Amino acid sequence: MKNLQRLVLSLLFVIILSTASFPCFAEPSNTPVFEMKNSIAPRSDLIVWRYKSFDGRLYRRLYNKTQKRWIGDWELVG
C-alpha cells in the first residue's frame, strides 16, 4: 500500500513538472491594446461659464461643452 502511494505521488510530481516546463508560445498581435484618437481623453464633462452683456448688465450661464447644452438659467453678475 505504501509503495502504491509513493508511485502515485511520484507520477503526480512528474506530471506537474512536465506540464510546468512546457514553453508558452504566444503570438504577437497586430491589434493595439487600446487606441486613442487624442493625447488627452477626458473622463468628465467640460463645464465652462458663458457671459453676455444685455442692457449694460453682465449675465453668466453654465455651458456643458462635452454634451453641447446649457445648464441652468442666465444669472446677473453685476
Side-chain angles (χ1 to χ4, degrees), residues 44-50 61-72:
S44 62
D45 291 346
L46 180 61
I47 298 174
V48 296
W49 285 105
R50 296 293 180 156
R61 188 176 186 184
L62 284 175
Y63 183 71
N64 188 333
K65 289 181 85 173
T66 307
Q67 297 178 4
K68 298 180 181 173
R69 60 185 208 186
W70 292 102
I71 302 171

Side-chain angles (χ1 to χ4, degrees), residues 6-46:
R6 284 184 188 171
L7 180 65
V8 170
L9 284 175
S10 62
L11 284 175
L12 284 174
F13 185 71
V14 168
I15 290 171
I16 290 172
L17 283 181
S18 65
T19 56
S21 64
F22 285 129
C24 186
F25 298 105
E27 295 183 14
S29 173
N30 290 338
T31 57
V33 175
F34 63 91
E35 182 178 329
M36 290 181 61
K37 295 180 181 178
N38 298 327
S39 60
I40 299 173
R43 298 196 179 261
S44 62
D45 291 346
L46 180 61

